[in-house]
Amino acid sequence: MANIHLTLIGKPGCHLCDDARDLVATVVQKVIDERPSPDITVEERSILDDAELHA
């Protein structure tokens, strides 16, 4: 299985970002449960910490 890297871009206190994080966690867990040894990483980045993302 190929390596999977997901990047969530959002900001603290955003309820839609929280919903997206929960949904991604659910999907990642399903993949882990169904496939042998998946290599999945999830990175979170805030638009408040990165001017380029904010723009």
Side-chain angles (χ1 to χ4, degrees), residues 9 45-55:
I9 299 172
R45 298 191 54 201
S46 171
I47 63 169
L48 301 179
D49 298 332
D50 185 317
E52 188 176 328
L53 289 177
H54 188 266

Side-chain angles (χ1 to χ4, degrees), residues 9-24:
I9 299 172
K11 69 178 186 175
C14 170
H15 72 280
L16 295 175
C17 299
D18 294 340
D19 291 347
R21 183 182 307 105
D22 292 344
L23 181 60
V24 167

Side-chain angles (χ1 to χ4, degrees), residues 1-47:
M1 176 181 222
N3 295 338
I4 300 170
H5 180 85
L6 302 172
T7 303
L8 296 176
I9 299 172
K11 69 178 186 175
C14 170
H15 72 280
L16 295 175
C17 299
D18 294 340
D19 291 347
R21 183 182 307 105
D22 292 344
L23 181 60
V24 167
T26 299
V27 172
V28 166
Q29 189 59 54
K30 280 188 172 192
V31 171
I32 289 170
D33 291 345
E34 294 176 4
R35 302 195 189 277
S37 303
D39 186 6
I40 302 173
T41 58
V42 180
E43 172 189 11
E44 290 192 48
R45 298 191 54 201
S46 171
I47 63 169

